[in-house]
Amino acid sequence: MVSLLTMPMSGGAKTWPQTQTHLGFRPIKRKPNVVIKCTVQIDVTDLTQKRQLFTPRTTVTPPQHNPLRLNIFQKAAAIAIDAAERVLISREQDTPLPKTADPRVQIAGNYSPVPESPVRRNITVDGTIPDCIDGVYVRNGANPMFEPIAGHHLFDGDGMVHDVKITNGSASYACRFTKTERLVQEKRLGRPVFPKAIGELHGHSGIARLMLFYARGLCGLINNQNGVGVANAGLVYFNNRLLAMSEDDLPYQLKITKTGDLQTVGRYDFDGQLNSAMIAHPKLDPVTKELHALSYDVIKKPDLKYFRFSPDGVKSPELEIPLETPTMIHDFAITENFVVIPDQQVVFKLGEMISGKSPVVFDGEKVSRLGIMHKDATEASEIIWVNSPETFCFHLWNAWESPETEEIVVIGSCMTPADSIFNERDESLRSVLSEIRINLRTREATRRALLVNNEDVNLEIGMVNRNRLGRKTRFAFLAIADPWPKVSGFAKVDLSTGEMKKYIYGGEKYGGEPFFLPGGDGGENEDDGYIFCHVHDEDKETSELQIINAGSLELEATIKLPSRVPYGFHGTFVDSSELVDQL
């Protein structure tokens, strides 16, 4: 379907050129009172209706607060704050945005948002879904409800979960927003008012937006005390609960209904035990069934905390870990007995905003290091810190103990430039699958690229067999990010030999995280199982879920999805047997 999309915006109507390649734009200079028109092709669930990519804002100006619910002071405050925001937006119109904060780049093409979809049953399946697959595959992603009024990074979008329920070889599909505190309030107000941590908090305008946000909170115009997170990154099923996470807030509990739909239960604090944010990659130990997690803070001490939950959800005491500088720690690793904590060179320096820069920066003077801590540690002094210069792994795929060499082996993808996801850089990003070996006796670390013949391919976002997490694994299944940041297929890498086998989607098809589901026989062989991949055909504007045999890399089934699924982040699979006890 061809549609002319014109989205309302302060200073004039504007459209987003949705067919452009993500990260393919040069920085743009925005002019007020300009109408830009473009013709794009989008996918819709009902061909009889035209749908906008964003939820329409109720006004092109800041929110009109309900006067019946505001006292005189609040009415005056709302008028003043709204006027200040209009001035800020007007002044920003002539400010060029870097590609890492330009919504025309960050949410272009199949990164652009889609509306919610109710359950669509009995969708087309090509091939045969293996009998052992019975449950729901859920995948998280960023999907802004409202059109950005300023800077926007892909990671800033509201969380939306796409789910495919598989029963007796048939499939259904649905997608729903995770109804976070910020999304519920912004929907009520009719536009975005919560600051976007990466896209908006740059320089003086970022400081101004923070002041406006806190002013609205102090005046009771919004509630900023119940979290500001978007819950758009990770998913984990733990203690009979499906949790959606981003590292800026507590998790949100979701519920998969009997019909295959999704409902938001609410912000989940583990029955009052958790009072701080939790990163989006907690680790579920497949043997002990404990959930291990980290929490970091960029404003107040402690900078980092470690804790874990017993299988029935009882939280351990928090172990406070001091760091010299507040540091971005998106992921970590566990072994059978240890926790591996990366303290790397992408840090938070809020003072940089005063000089007009991003607070997320690369600290070239800092030496990256890895901390090895026993799972039962009670003091930060028990951590063994080992330097690993110039190491930045956004994701760690696995780690295990090697008693014969007295080493901890860590598998991750090392990125350079380290901050290129957050700040515009001239160098092309590289993500090299690497093995880091940490000698606990000598306290030294070595690092090497794993692929044979030093094959130059970006491997990023993926996993190992989750039944062997924290134990020695032979295989990793990782997305082939080529051309960056698109995913043209995935690689099955033999970690013992460095040999790589590729599964390429072909044509103009691109995907995301390859999710490995262990086979129903218990998996005598580590690669007994299936890979789930959301794939989008950019030529035909169609989306599908491919199920591939992980052993042979042969396509088993293709589930034709009834609407477009944007490229997203991480997923998990909830077996039908687990849903019986879902809370």
Side-chain angles (χ1 to χ4, degrees), residues 22 100 106-107 111 141-144 152-159 182 196-199 229-233 246-248 328 330 394-395 415 421-422 461 484 568-570:
H22 183 64
T100 51
Q106 293 293 310
I107 49 177
Y111 290 92
N143 195 88
H152 181 93
H153 187 280
L154 175 65
F155 295 171
D156 290 326
D158 297 299
R182 69 183 290 155
K196 296 180 178 179
I198 304 176
V230 289
N232 66 13
S246 57
E247 53 212 56
D248 51 359
M328 172 168 284
H330 180 71
F394 199 56
H395 292 108
M415 281 188 174
I421 294 178
F422 307 101
I461 197 166
W484 180 269
F569 302 137
H570 306 287

Side-chain angles (χ1 to χ4, degrees), residues 76-242:
I79 293 172
I81 294 171
D82 291 353
E85 186 172 47
R86 284 194 293 271
V87 172
L88 176 62
I89 293 172
S90 176
R91 290 184 175 181
E92 287 180 328
Q93 297 298 313
D94 287 327
T95 304
L97 289 170
K99 289 188 293 186
T100 51
D102 190 337
R104 300 171 189 248
V105 176
Q106 293 293 310
I107 49 177
N110 196 44
Y111 290 92
S112 60
V114 295
E116 290 187 318
S117 172
V119 177
R120 305 288 294 276
R121 298 182 178 83
N122 298 317
I123 55 181
T124 301
V125 177
D126 291 344
T128 302
I129 299 175
D131 293 338
C132 62
I133 299 176
D134 190 344
V136 182
Y137 171 59
V138 284
R139 197 221 65 191
N140 211 345
N143 195 88
M145 172 173 280
F146 294 103
E147 177 190 9
I149 60 175
H152 181 93
H153 187 280
L154 175 65
F155 295 171
D156 290 326
D158 297 299
M160 174 176 275
V161 177
H162 301 258
D163 85 80
V164 178
K165 182 179 181 181
I166 298 172
T167 305
N168 297 325
S170 63
S172 66
Y173 167 79
C175 66
R176 296 292 185 185
F177 281 108
T178 296
K179 293 178 174 57
T180 60
E181 288 285 339
R182 69 183 290 155
L183 182 139
V184 169
Q185 293 189 60
E186 290 184 341
K187 186 175 181 180
R188 174 176 56 83
L189 294 170
R191 67 182 292 278
V193 293
F194 282 66
K196 296 180 178 179
I198 304 176
E200 289 185 344
L201 300 187
H202 291 244
H204 300 146
S205 64
I207 296 174
R209 289 191 179 281
L210 280 176
M211 293 174 65
L212 291 172
F213 173 69
Y214 286 116
R216 284 192 172 110
L218 286 172
C219 296
L221 304 177
I222 61 172
N223 181 354
N224 56 13
Q225 300 301 308
N226 289 332
V228 298
V230 289
N232 66 13
L235 289 168
V236 66
Y237 192 79
F238 173 71
N239 192 26
N240 300 322
R241 294 173 175 88
L242 177 61

